Amino acid sequence: MPDDAAAAFRAFFERRHVELARLAFLLTGDASVADDLAADALTEVWRHWSRVEAADDPVAYARGIVTNLTRQWVRRRIRERRGLLGMHLLAGTRGTPDPDVPAVLDVRSALSHLPHRRRACVVLRYAFDLSEREVARVLGISVGAVKSQTSRGARQLAELLGSQEASRIEHGAREEAR
């Protein structure tokens, strides 16, 4: 790779690494996994740098790689979890409430309950403040799909966060009654 291309990639890396890791974190909820996924995405960007650099929006291209890698990671985790449940290795951990429930709403936890595309739309629209058109370009879907997925995701988040708040209030009332 010519020196000027290597310098351009290095500058891109320095400007965008933290943002891509943050995107991966918001999609996975796991900081160490997010760092790995951002690194993997930037490796792919490096491998295809001439194509990325020539793209209309290199950042959107990189974000698309991150969302695809996180989708693959989530799917792999689901398959692994199903396998462990099938072998009864996770029996007893499923549905067991944590007795030390934090008093603060955990948006990351609520986000983890959203399907991947919905979660990606919500995160890109609200956490990264991208337009619907930009989100569509990153995810490779239509603007209409972004609108519907974002709307459904926001509604689902509100319901999840509302039910968490209701559980905390109910739990608090039970504690006070004791």
Side-chain angles (χ1 to χ4, degrees):
M1 180 177 283
D3 287 343
D4 56 333
F9 172 77
R10 199 171 311 113
F12 180 86
F13 178 95
E14 289 173 7
R15 278 192 320 272
R16 300 301 176 178
H17 177 261
V18 171
E19 174 189 339
L20 296 173
R22 189 171 124 224
L23 172 60
F25 175 72
L26 289 169
L27 294 173
T28 64
D30 187 321
S32 63
V33 168
D35 285 340
D36 289 345
L37 291 171
D40 291 348
L42 285 162
T43 300
E44 285 302 305
V45 168
W46 169 253
R47 288 181 57 222
H48 304 286
W49 181 245
S50 60
R51 188 180 328 155
V52 173
E53 195 173 33
D56 290 338
D57 188 350
V59 177
Y61 194 101
R63 287 175 181 149
I65 293 171
V66 170
T67 59
N68 287 333
L69 290 173
T70 57
R71 180 177 41 249
Q72 292 166 6
W73 179 83
V74 167
R75 286 179 178 163
R76 194 169 37 256
R77 292 248 339 227
I78 290 169
R79 282 193 304 273
E80 290 168 359
R81 184 164 176 78
R82 284 182 185 151
L84 292 173
L85 285 171
M87 294 184 295
H88 304 292
L89 294 177
L90 292 180
T93 62
R94 193 174 197 200
T96 305
D98 184 2
D100 186 23
V101 179
V104 182
L105 292 176
D106 189 358
V107 175
R108 285 180 307 170
S109 174
L111 276 170
S112 72
H113 289 84
L114 270 59
H116 179 77
R117 181 177 285 177
R118 229 176 255 178
R119 182 180 334 143
C121 286
V122 168
V123 166
L124 289 168
R125 284 285 290 133
Y126 299 117
F128 285 83
D129 199 30
L130 297 183
S131 70
E132 291 164 342
R133 185 174 308 261
E134 290 170 317
V135 173
R137 187 173 35 236
V138 167
L139 298 178
I141 59 178
S142 71
V143 173
V146 169
K147 289 178 182 182
S148 68
Q149 291 297 305
T150 303
S151 172
R152 289 177 184 154
R155 189 174 332 113
Q156 190 175 357
L157 267 179
E159 290 169 4
L160 287 166
L161 293 171
S163 68
Q164 286 179 6
E165 182 63 19
S167 292
R168 271 192 281 289
I169 291 169
E170 183 178 308
H171 180 72
R174 273 188 269 144
E175 290 298 314
E176 286 180 19
R178 290 183 187 177

